[in-house]
Amino acid sequence: MTTVPAIWRAALKTDLKFLAGRLIYAAYRATIRRHLPEKWRHYLDRPSAYSVWQSINNLSSDKEDDLSDALKNIGLSRYKISILMPVYKPSIILLRDAIRSVQDQIYTNWELSIVDDGSKDENLEQFIIAESAFDSRIRHYFLRENFGISQATNLCFERSSGEIIVFMDQDDLISKDCLSELILAFAGQPQLDLVYTDSDKLDLEGQRVSPSFKPGWSPVLLLSHMYFSHVVAVRRTIVEELGGLRSAFDGSQDYDFALRATERAREGKHVPKLLYHWRMLPGSAPVS
């Protein structure tokens, strides 16, 4: 009769103890969950790896102070950033949140150029006009018919005046330090023409998920896929040289622009920080 080696018996005993411990722990959590008020039950859920990462890397008050000091020391407040935001039948609530994320920036020398691409929505029009009246840094223009995202973006550009151009969608958010990090990237780099950052997504509950940690500057890699995504900032001269976005590529106009921009850009740079939050909505690119 074959006997089970002692080492196997010990391993089996350890496994059984571990399994029993897990079962007891699961029963314990289930019991607590049943008796806890519903508003506190989420504390029993195991946090995702990304939520733990955020708790360590999110912007703190000390980091905000450091950014403000860095901007003052370099004297960058004279550089204006123009954010181009074409809109078409957006949710007013989500558009408001997008605008607030711009207004909350540590770096304050910006302008937001909003062009409504023929939404023909009186409530939306009144909202945009009110936002512009409240904050003079917000410029707006209303098209009476729908020309497409490229033409609307180009009109945003024509009505802007900043040295650095940033592209932003109507329902996304930028982090509080986004513009500061972008302007610091351009600081003292006269040859730098294009900057892109890391990004993540916002689910339907507004939770940050699916971080995208991007590779370094590689025009060759860009030939195979649009890894820049958001956020992308370029010097005004690049947009002027390229003639803006091309309507023939609506739907992939960002990719077409990125390919052409990398051909003109003297240098490009990756800022390895999550500065853009891409909202996942039914039918939108982040979910498709």
Side-chain angles (χ1 to χ4, degrees):
M1 180 176 178
T2 304
T3 59
V4 178
I7 192 171
W8 290 7
R9 292 199 302 271
L12 180 60
K13 188 176 181 180
T14 300
D15 288 346
L16 290 174
K17 283 183 178 180
F18 176 75
L19 179 59
R22 291 294 300 270
L23 291 173
I24 292 171
Y25 177 66
Y28 176 70
R29 285 173 57 88
T31 302
I32 292 178
R33 184 180 291 274
R34 280 199 303 270
H35 292 88
L36 269 181
E38 186 173 352
K39 64 179 180 179
W40 292 343
R41 291 177 186 172
H42 68 279
Y43 288 113
L44 293 176
D45 297 330
R46 179 177 296 177
S48 67
Y50 185 43
S51 65
V52 174
W53 185 95
Q54 289 177 57
S55 67
I56 299 171
N57 293 279
N58 278 350
L59 186 67
S60 65
S61 57
D62 288 341
K63 290 179 182 177
E64 285 189 40
D65 293 340
D66 290 343
L67 274 176
S68 298
D69 290 342
L71 292 169
K72 289 176 184 176
N73 292 337
I74 301 176
L76 290 176
S77 59
R78 67 184 183 275
Y79 294 104
K80 181 185 287 186
I81 293 180
S82 292
I83 302 169
L84 312 186
M85 184 185 287
V87 304
Y88 180 67
K89 296 183 178 180
S91 157
I92 293 180
I93 293 175
L94 298 185
L95 176 59
R96 180 201 62 196
D97 291 345
I99 293 173
R100 295 293 177 268
S101 76
V102 175
Q103 292 172 320
D104 288 342
Q105 292 298 298
I106 297 170
Y107 189 77
T108 57
N109 190 11
W110 53 263
E111 64 179 4
L112 176 60
S113 182
I114 300 177
V115 169
D116 176 62
D117 190 21
S119 297
K120 298 179 181 178
D121 182 332
E122 290 185 7
N123 292 329
L124 173 63
E125 187 169 331
Q126 291 174 8
F127 169 76
I128 294 175
I129 291 173
E131 289 293 311
S132 299
F134 176 77
D135 192 330
S136 60
R137 295 172 296 180
I138 300 175
R139 303 181 178 187
H140 66 270
Y141 188 80
F142 299 99
L143 295 171
R144 293 309 166 190
E145 57 181 293
N146 180 242
F147 288 97
I149 189 169
S150 291
Q151 285 200 44
T153 303
N154 290 340
L155 185 54
C156 286
F157 176 72
E158 291 172 12
R159 302 181 72 83
S160 69
S161 59
E163 297 92 333
I164 304 299
I165 303 300
V166 170
F167 300 92
M168 184 175 176
D169 290 346
Q170 65 187 17
D171 43 27
D172 295 339
L173 305 178
I174 55 176
S175 64
K176 192 173 183 179
D177 53 339
C178 179
L179 301 187
S180 301
E181 294 290 357
L182 291 175
I183 209 71
L184 286 171
F186 281 103
Q189 302 287 334
Q191 299 288 349
L192 185 61
D193 287 327
L194 187 149
V195 173
Y196 62 98
T197 76
D198 294 338
S199 60
D200 59 15
K201 298 175 183 177
L202 294 172
D203 64 18
L204 294 179
E205 296 179 352
Q207 299 298 312
R208 291 172 57 189
V209 297
S210 302
S212 176
F213 299 102
K214 299 163 191 173
W217 171 251
S218 176
V220 174
L221 178 61
L222 190 69
L223 294 174
S224 62
H225 72 110
M226 172 51 167
Y227 75 89
F228 285 177
S229 185
H230 298 290
V231 63
V232 173
V234 295
R235 290 194 187 273
R236 185 175 197 88
T237 51
I238 292 293
V239 183
E240 291 173 341
E241 289 174 13
L242 295 176
L245 275 59
R246 301 193 290 193
S247 294
F249 293 90
D250 276 1
S252 58
Q253 74 286 340
D254 291 344
Y255 194 9
D256 170 65
F257 179 82
L259 290 170
R260 292 185 292 132
T262 53
E263 291 180 344
R264 296 293 184 96
R266 292 165 295 176
E267 292 180 12
K269 183 176 182 178
H270 170 224
V271 174
K273 296 189 177 182
L274 284 151
L275 305 179
Y276 194 97
H277 312 304
W278 200 4
R279 199 178 293 276
M280 300 171 66
L281 298 174
S284 65
V287 217
S288 57

